[in-house]
Amino acid sequence: MNDSAVQSQILKPGILNADALGGVIVLCDHASNHVPAAYADLGLDKSEFEKHIAWDIGAADVTRKICDMMGVAGVLAPVSRLLIDCNREPDHKTLIPPSSDGVDIPANREVGPRAVAARKAAYYTPFHDACARLGEAHLKAGKVPLIVGMHSFTPKMGDEPRPWHAGFLWNKDPRLAQAMIGMLERETDLVVGDNLPYSGRDLYYTMQRHGADHGLPQTTIEVRQDLLATAAMTTEWAALLADILDECMNRADIAAIRYY
């Protein structure tokens, strides 16, 4: 498709409680498996978009419910990470992935600079602009928001089961991740990963850009997808996470600007 067709397919990110200044901002950069019709499913079978390669299953539902329960703001990315991955640096080699988990993506082969720029302008930049506006609004109002990335992960990596029920990722700033890990271990018998099943020292762009770069407490939350399989499950996780976030945002040792 040409650049003008891309521009006609611009989708705004989903902004939740846009005017809320509740002390927490939930960012879901892998919220959607949607690809605009003009991209012809990127040359893939439609069944591929029901898999983890296309989105973080259950993450958007948990995000919406946390924002509703707490009355806090959130942002949902509008398109599949197979089209453009909002949790990647603008020049990252997998910003527009040519393949994912062994699945070749025909429409992402040899994407030229103009096409990359068009996808950024249509989907990537609006998402990050919306995230930035929410953070700026909190700071302007004298509030230090907790910045939370909401993700999910597959129960297995290859044939290897993943034992964690949830994990908390962080890079240099441990405040929010360590507090939430401690609270979950105190209140539940869940198996909780510390920079597992992924590490915030590897892929952490959204949290870095909208949290750490501004000295804000931040963490990416990962919940195992088989624990998000029903509406009742996502409600239970949202309630659990909302409870511990509520405790964290009232702690002076966490809700403060600090650079690491």
Side-chain angles (χ1 to χ4, degrees):
M1 63 185 295
N2 60 39
D3 295 331
S4 61
V6 172
Q7 293 302 318
S8 72
Q9 294 290 312
I10 289 175
L11 292 175
K12 294 181 179 179
I15 303 177
L16 309 171
N17 300 331
D19 297 323
L21 297 170
V24 174
I25 302 172
V26 188
L27 308 180
C28 191
D29 44 32
H30 295 157
S32 179
N33 62 353
H34 177 68
V35 171
Y39 286 96
D41 296 323
L42 301 174
L44 297 172
D45 188 273
K46 286 186 181 294
S47 64
E48 299 294 347
F49 292 94
E50 299 306 316
K51 299 177 182 178
H52 180 68
I53 62 169
W55 61 331
D56 277 7
I57 298 165
D61 200 24
V62 176
T63 299
R64 292 188 189 96
K65 289 175 178 178
I66 290 174
C67 291
D68 183 55
M69 291 172 184
M70 299 187 73
V72 299
V75 186
L76 304 171
V79 294
S80 172
R81 62 174 160 215
L82 296 181
L83 185 66
I84 190 164
D85 193 332
C86 291
N87 193 33
R88 297 293 187 273
E89 291 80 1
D91 59 351
H92 198 280
K93 64 182 180 180
T94 62
L95 176 73
I96 295 174
S99 64
S100 182
D101 287 349
V103 177
D104 183 58
I105 305 165
N108 289 354
R109 297 187 202 124
E110 300 179 5
V111 180
R114 289 183 63 191
V116 172
R119 291 194 201 184
K120 284 182 179 178
Y123 315 113
Y124 181 91
T125 299
F127 171 78
H128 285 292
D129 285 352
C131 298
R133 284 194 298 271
L134 293 179
E136 290 164 3
H138 277 73
L139 292 172
K140 187 176 180 179
K143 291 183 176 287
V144 177
L146 312 182
I147 308 298
V148 175
M150 192 67 233
H151 285 227
S152 68
F153 64 95
T154 56
K156 292 183 178 181
M157 175 59 78
D159 294 327
E160 190 69 28
R162 287 166 154 171
W164 311 281
H165 299 101
F168 293 82
L169 315 187
W170 57 283
N171 184 11
K172 296 179 180 179
D173 176 359
R175 290 175 292 168
L176 187 54
Q178 294 301 311
M180 296 185 78
I181 291 168
M183 290 175 190
L184 278 184
E185 290 179 341
R186 179 191 72 199
E187 301 292 339
T188 74
D189 60 359
L190 296 171
V191 179
V192 183
D194 183 348
N195 264 337
L196 292 166
Y198 309 106
S199 174
R201 297 185 177 93
D202 297 327
L203 294 174
Y204 203 62
Y205 179 68
T206 298
M207 292 297 97
Q208 184 67 38
R209 176 169 174 172
H210 301 292
D213 284 353
H214 306 281
L216 303 177
Q218 88 292 147
T219 187
T220 294
I221 303 173
E222 296 270 1
V223 179
R224 209 172 66 203
Q225 286 172 3
D226 59 319
L227 305 178
L228 301 175
T230 68
M233 288 177 171
T234 58
T235 298
E236 184 176 7
W237 273 99
L240 176 60
L241 294 170
D243 280 347
I244 60 176
L245 284 168
D246 186 66
E247 184 174 338
C248 287
M249 72 179 182
N250 290 304
R251 281 179 45 176
D253 60 322
I254 298 174
I257 293 176
R258 190 175 300 166
Y259 293 91
Y260 287 77

